Amino acid sequence: VPFHLIGHDSADQYLADGITEEVTSTLSNLSGLRVIAPGSVAAIDKTGKSPRELGAQLGADALVEGELQHAGSAIRVRVSLIDPATEETRWSQQYDHTTQDIFRIQSEVAARVAGLLRIQLAERESRSLGRLPTTNPAAYNLYLRARVIGDRPGASLPAVDSAIEMLSGAVRLDSNFAAAWALRAAKRSEAVFIYDADSHRLDEADEDVRKALALDSTLAIAYAPRTGLGLNAWRGWHVRSGEHPSYLP
């Protein structure tokens, strides 16, 4: 469920939205879980339904809810795991971090949720959860901003370009930040497919995907733009690129 921002500074909304997406993405990478698309959850959550109603409509066995507070360099995140059938809280924990180590939250929450749901993690998944996306807090902050800036209602090509610029800053700060390379590929592809930008951006997106997968071949968010790069009218309909992860046109 979208994490809620506590406070009146709307400039911090990107933190709540970004952490929601990161926790969702991390949980989605665990083979024992089926995670419902964030857009579906957000649309129903806005109607103010109870956990029982929300779980029933989504067909969900568990809900992850969260709240975020930000003051200065301090960030407090409260996360709960709710059983929608009984509306009981199965687990709740508060994380007190600074902006310097906020990137630790997603893996900590995912590991705890998996344990509570008795999901047996594969060795690869355990290693993945233990690996930080980046150790550079400024790069991660830019990445979180970019994750949400182009996805808001009424987004436009300038908004997507702003996200691309933020991600360019992130990879300059940390060239090993695989998720930032992958997201930049997605944004560059989106600029062409949705906003009719110069199709040469697809070549740049292609290079971003290759860099992301070279750094982390298990990175889920790299495969969506990778497939799109193979299946489009500008570069030819390379069906194999949507079927086999080792192939790129």
Side-chain angles (χ1 to χ4, degrees):
V1 181
F3 285 24
H4 296 288
L5 178 68
I6 298 177
H8 302 290
D9 190 350
S10 59
D12 289 335
Q13 186 62 47
Y14 81 94
L15 280 171
D17 294 342
I19 291 175
T20 301
E21 291 195 20
E22 284 298 285
V23 169
T24 301
S25 177
T26 304
L27 288 171
S28 298
N29 284 340
L30 304 181
S31 57
L33 287 176
R34 179 179 64 91
V35 181
I36 296 169
S40 299
V41 181
I44 299 174
D45 181 55
K46 290 178 181 178
T47 62
K49 293 183 181 294
S50 68
R52 180 178 284 108
E53 293 170 325
L54 189 60
Q57 187 163 347
L58 292 169
D61 299 315
L63 303 177
V64 177
E65 299 180 338
E67 296 178 334
L68 181 142
Q69 290 176 287
H70 181 210
S73 63
I75 292 176
R76 171 170 291 174
V77 181
R78 297 185 185 90
V79 184
S80 300
L81 183 69
I82 310 296
D83 182 342
T86 63
E87 298 196 346
E88 293 180 352
T89 300
R90 295 184 57 182
W91 163 72
S92 182
Q93 187 163 329
Q94 178 174 295
Y95 296 89
D96 289 306
H97 287 281
T98 68
T99 53
Q100 300 298 304
D101 63 356
I102 189 175
F103 35 69
R104 299 181 185 276
I105 292 175
Q106 67 197 64
S107 57
E108 292 176 10
V109 171
R112 190 60 187 271
V113 169
L116 289 163
L117 296 178
R118 298 180 181 177
I119 301 299
Q120 185 67 39
L121 298 180
E123 182 180 351
R124 174 185 57 79
E125 292 171 328
S126 296
R127 288 199 307 269
S128 179
L129 287 180
R131 186 170 58 242
L132 295 177
T134 177
T135 56
N136 188 303
Y140 192 70
N141 187 277
L142 287 169
Y143 171 77
L144 286 185
R145 289 180 181 273
R147 280 210 72 148
V148 301
I149 191 171
D151 295 333
R152 291 173 177 160
S156 60
L157 181 58
V160 174
D161 281 339
S162 179
I164 291 170
E165 182 58 33
M166 290 177 184
L167 292 163
S168 297
V171 297
R172 281 195 296 269
L173 291 169
D174 181 2
S175 61
N176 293 318
F177 193 173
W181 288 109
L183 186 58
R184 193 171 73 167
K187 294 297 182 183
R188 281 173 162 169
S189 300
E190 179 183 322
V192 177
F193 298 152
I194 298 179
Y195 299 105
D196 197 27
D198 188 342
S199 62
H200 285 98
R201 294 189 188 213
L202 298 181
D203 296 330
E204 298 172 326
D206 193 354
E207 185 63 26
D208 285 348
V209 167
R210 292 174 188 272
K211 288 180 178 178
L213 292 177
L215 290 165
D216 184 356
S217 63
T218 69
L219 195 63
I221 64 171
Y223 284 100
R226 176 194 158 282
T227 300
L229 288 169
L231 294 169
N232 64 77
W234 291 270
R235 308 176 87 215
W237 300 99
H238 297 277
V239 177
R240 283 180 58 206
S241 70
E243 297 174 343
H244 197 282
S246 65
Y247 175 79
L248 274 170

